[in-house]
Amino acid sequence: MERFVLSDAQWAKMEPLCLGKLGDPGRSGKNNRLFVEAVLWIARTGSPWRDLPPSFGNWSSAYTRFRDWV
């Protein structure tokens, strides 16, 4: 992804609060920032999850993670 909605400074504040980071028990997310950016893209556009651009990864995986997160 070439352009993010979150600035590096904003992400630096959020990153320690995200679930699935290294050191957490269980499976960790491959790329927490990309997941958060995908959620922001969905919220910003109002598109269904199936329309998530491939640059954010598999839409189904992102949706499942979002559903578990909510």
Side-chain angles (χ1 to χ4, degrees):
M1 192 82 208
E2 297 156 2
R3 187 176 66 156
F4 291 118
V5 173
L6 293 173
S7 68
D8 289 338
Q10 290 169 318
W11 176 245
K13 291 179 183 179
M14 287 183 65
E15 186 175 19
L17 304 173
C18 288
L19 298 174
K21 60 188 174 297
L22 293 176
D24 282 351
R27 184 181 164 112
S28 63
K30 288 183 180 178
N31 188 334
N32 285 333
R33 184 172 185 171
L34 196 59
F35 166 70
V36 171
E37 294 286 351
V39 172
L40 292 173
W41 187 89
I42 292 293
R44 189 174 66 249
T45 63
S47 296
W49 281 98
R50 286 183 186 264
D51 291 345
L52 188 68
S55 59
F56 288 108
N58 184 306
W59 74 266
S60 181
S61 299
Y63 170 71
T64 300
R65 187 170 177 192
F66 174 75
R67 189 183 66 222
D68 292 343
W69 185 45
V70 171

